[in-house]
Amino acid sequence: MAEDLSHRLADFAASFSLEHAPVRVLENAKIAILDCLGVAVLAASEEIGKILLSFARLNGSPGPCTVWGSEITCNPRDAALINGTLAHGLDYDDRNHASTYTLASTLAAAETCNASGASTLAAFIVGREIRTCLDGLFSKRSSGIGPGARGWHSNGILGPIASACAASKIFDFTGDQILSAIGLAAGSCGALTRDGGTMAKPFRVGHAAATGITCALLAREGFTTLSMKWLIIR
């Protein structure tokens, strides 16, 4: 079932086109992008933002990607980490926090290859839709079933997968490449709910975005989760 689900997610990401999306979907996505960016820029002036920007200046590696609300540019993984954390720094949530990590991953990927606005919008929608469709598997803390009821947090479990799919869409991956990115992201998941109310909670969002784009970048280089034959040297 997991393999079938991965293929369905990859097929959706590869085949999605703005031309076939309802107008309501496009309008909702554009509003979500504006809301997410607005909250992130505001967070950049708050305590958590000042810490993140200081971290970026001292530890970020050079690159073409913008750190929101600042003059800083850095590599896509650092940008996704910092921007994703900023996006949830004031506890912004437009349902499942889906816009936070998918937008951070999408824009970081888009800036690495000068993607068009249309391609960027399509990738953002792909990430959000995939995150939403996976929600039923995670379940709610109040339901008593599923990972959510056992102390795991959806941002760190489903966020990397959605972020990887969004970045994969920007890079115009084939189905097999998206499968590799999904597999890598699924193997990199993890987050607890016990640190809610601390800076660790938005950090999970940033980590999800950074993990997603890292998995996509690795898949672009040929890193795969497909079966391998190992050479044993005796």
Side-chain angles (χ1 to χ4, degrees):
M1 292 179 63
E3 183 177 355
D4 290 343
L5 176 59
S6 295
H7 279 88
R8 289 170 63 187
L9 296 179
D11 288 344
F12 170 74
S15 63
F16 177 81
S17 172
L18 292 181
E19 287 74 17
H20 300 118
V23 173
R24 184 177 179 182
V25 170
L26 305 182
E27 292 176 346
N28 178 271
K30 292 175 183 178
I31 291 173
I33 291 172
L34 290 173
D35 284 347
C36 189
L37 287 174
V39 173
V41 170
L42 178 59
S45 64
E46 299 295 323
E47 180 184 12
I48 187 172
K50 292 175 181 178
I51 294 172
L52 288 167
L53 297 187
S54 176
F55 173 85
R57 292 187 180 98
L58 293 173
N59 302 287
S61 298
C65 301
T66 305
V67 174
W68 302 339
S70 78
E71 80 293 351
I72 304 168
T73 58
C74 56
N75 69 67
R77 289 176 293 139
D78 288 346
L81 174 68
I82 296 165
N83 291 335
T85 307
L86 283 172
H88 195 44
L90 301 181
D91 213 32
Y92 170 67
D93 181 4
D94 64 338
R95 186 184 177 188
N96 302 319
H97 314 101
S99 290
T100 54
Y101 36 77
T102 52
L103 185 60
S105 178
T106 296
L107 291 186
E111 286 188 293
T112 66
C113 56
N114 295 316
S116 68
S119 296
T120 303
L121 181 60
F124 175 67
I125 292 172
V126 163
R128 289 178 84 219
E129 289 294 321
I130 285 177
R131 167 60 186 88
T132 300
C133 84
L134 293 173
D135 200 43
L137 296 176
F138 196 81
S139 194
K140 305 295 182 183
R141 278 174 281 179
S142 59
S143 69
I145 58 175
R150 293 178 171 83
W152 298 98
H153 197 273
S154 60
N155 284 349
I157 306 299
L158 304 179
I161 298 172
S163 299
C165 289
S168 295
K169 184 66 174 178
I170 285 287
F171 296 142
D172 197 26
F173 280 177
T174 63
D176 283 347
Q177 287 175 305
I178 301 175
L179 281 173
S180 291
I182 290 172
L184 292 171
S188 306
C189 293
L192 303 177
T193 58
R194 292 179 64 88
D195 53 12
T198 73
M199 291 184 183
K201 184 171 184 281
F203 177 71
R204 289 201 293 269
V205 171
H207 187 265
T211 299
I213 192 168
T214 299
C215 293
L217 289 168
L218 283 170
R220 187 172 67 173
E221 296 301 316
F223 211 85
T224 179
T225 56
L226 302 178
S227 296
M228 299 178 65
K229 292 182 179 178
W230 296 100
L231 175 63
I232 301 176
I233 301 177
R234 298 183 183 277

